Amino acid sequence: MILSDKILVIGPSHIDVIANTTNRYKLCSDKVGKITTSLGGTAYNIANQLAINNYPVILATNDIKCYKDYNKDQIEVVSTINNEVLFTNIPCKVGHVAHCCNNQMVSAISAEYSDMKFSEKHLYQLIERSALIIVDCNSTLKLLSKCLTFSKGTNKPVYISGVSSSKMHVGISAAKKVKLNYDCFLINKHEYDYYVCNRVTDNICNQFRSENVIVTDGKRGSKIYSSNGKYEKLTTPILKLRTTIGCGDTYLAAVAASTVDRACFDVSVLNDYVSRFMRNKI
């Protein structure tokens, strides 16, 4: 891997508030548990997992430099360029609140990012100097459309995280709008079932406007669909993870790292990369 060719991750960061209890979930009840707050968001989580595994990253996001718990040595945070604001939101104004039981998510609510503005000129410059671009469906339709257009214009691969069943349609709509495909679209089984329900699924990649679609299914592994009609099933070795929350972000980080190392999307090495990244997941 050429260290000057950094992986560019684009998307909003926010504050994660997670409430975890060991008691069974019961509506309208107050129970003792543990509440944690941390810097989060899909884009930040992916960038952080790449940094943990020693891949230099550019994170184009809102201003998080006031927070001390991110990897400053490996993550180049870009929120302003030449005193021009790249993204307008700040983490304390947006967030993600999750209720968990025994470290497994029960439900969650995230803030909307409809007012997120960005500089097209600086966005293009960032994409131009990067080896691979990762975006997520927390972003706006306009931002995703521009990222896809600029990336394809500079011949850079674009990977996207579906984030959730209520948000992944934004990424699909952006690709339809500019009539371009992503190189990899990652979703989980729940998101897949939600989207393909009552739709004709003769070609999964056409449905998600991507050359490759990865569907993760927890301990059961993942399925990878390719636009050439090929289908692969990967069974990742079972690891003793404290929680499966954030595993999708770690998985996509691993796929991106393998692509940069191999200079292509190579299914044959994904098990090794995903296993290594999962072991290092924090």
Side-chain angles (χ1 to χ4, degrees):
M1 184 183 71
I2 302 172
L3 293 181
S4 60
D5 288 338
K6 294 186 177 182
I7 296 172
L8 172 61
V9 184
I10 303 171
S13 302
H14 58 224
I15 300 302
D16 280 342
V17 180
I18 299 176
N20 189 46
T21 178
T22 56
N23 299 323
R24 287 185 60 189
Y25 174 72
K26 187 176 181 181
L27 193 64
C28 301
S29 63
D30 184 5
K31 53 183 68 66
V32 176
K34 182 180 180 181
I35 296 177
T36 59
T37 60
S38 62
L39 194 57
T42 298
Y44 172 78
N45 292 340
I46 292 171
N48 195 42
Q49 291 304 316
L50 285 164
I52 289 168
N53 288 276
N54 298 313
Y55 287 84
V57 188
I58 303 172
L59 174 59
T61 189
N62 32 289
D63 190 5
I64 63 171
K65 293 180 181 178
C66 56
Y67 296 90
K68 300 178 181 179
D69 59 345
Y70 76 92
N71 190 334
K72 296 179 177 63
D73 294 331
Q74 292 282 45
I75 303 177
E76 177 188 344
V77 175
V78 179
S79 54
T80 60
I81 300 178
N82 297 332
N83 295 320
E84 290 187 37
V85 175
L86 191 65
F87 293 105
T88 57
N89 290 99
I90 56 175
C92 65
K93 295 289 183 67
V94 293
H96 172 84
V97 179
H99 170 234
C100 302
C101 184
N102 293 317
N103 294 315
Q104 303 305 312
M105 186 180 294
V106 175
S107 63
I109 297 175
S110 296
E112 291 188 274
Y113 298 89
S114 57
D115 63 336
M116 190 170 67
K117 299 176 182 178
F118 60 94
S119 163
E120 290 187 18
K121 179 180 70 175
H122 297 321
L123 187 64
Y124 182 84
Q125 292 172 349
L126 289 172
I127 288 172
E128 198 173 30
R129 60 180 275 223
S130 304
L132 181 147
I133 291 82
I134 303 175
V135 293
D136 71 69
C137 291
N138 276 322
S139 303
T140 61
L141 178 66
K142 181 180 178 182
L143 175 58
L144 292 177
S145 299
K146 290 296 180 183
C147 288
L148 196 48
T149 301
F150 292 162
S151 299
K152 292 301 181 179
T154 54
N155 200 29
K156 305 294 175 66
V158 190
Y159 290 5
I160 185 167
S161 168
V163 178
S164 71
S165 55
S166 62
K167 296 177 181 178
M168 62 184 178
H169 68 90
V170 180
I172 297 169
S173 297
K176 289 180 179 178
K177 180 181 178 182
V178 298
K179 298 180 180 179
L180 293 169
N181 283 356
Y182 300 101
D183 292 276
C184 180
F185 203 126
L186 185 137
I187 54 176
N188 62 34
K189 182 65 164 53
H190 172 75
E191 293 158 3
Y192 171 85
D193 290 341
Y194 177 88
Y195 188 77
V196 302
C197 180
N198 299 322
R199 287 183 171 88
V200 177
T201 56
D202 57 326
N203 190 313
I204 300 302
C205 292
N206 283 347
Q207 292 286 329
F208 287 90
R209 297 300 191 273
S210 182
E211 298 302 317
N212 301 281
V213 175
I214 299 176
V215 182
T216 62
D217 193 13
K219 295 178 180 179
R220 286 174 287 276
S222 58
K223 295 178 181 179
I224 302 174
Y225 302 87
S226 298
S227 58
N228 59 11
K230 290 184 178 181
Y231 164 85
E232 300 279 350
K233 185 174 181 180
L234 299 183
T235 305
T236 305
I238 297 175
L239 303 171
K240 292 183 178 180
L241 296 174
R242 186 179 60 85
T243 176
T244 57
I245 296 173
C247 283
D249 301 336
T250 304
Y251 194 118
L252 189 54
V255 177
S258 72
T259 301
V260 171
D261 285 347
R262 308 281 292 188
C264 66
F265 182 88
D266 187 350
V267 176
S268 68
V269 301
L270 288 189
N271 255 354
D272 291 339
Y273 275 81
V274 172
S275 298
R276 173 161 58 89
F277 271 61
M278 289 296 179
R279 281 193 293 270
N280 293 335
K281 181 179 181 292
I282 60 171

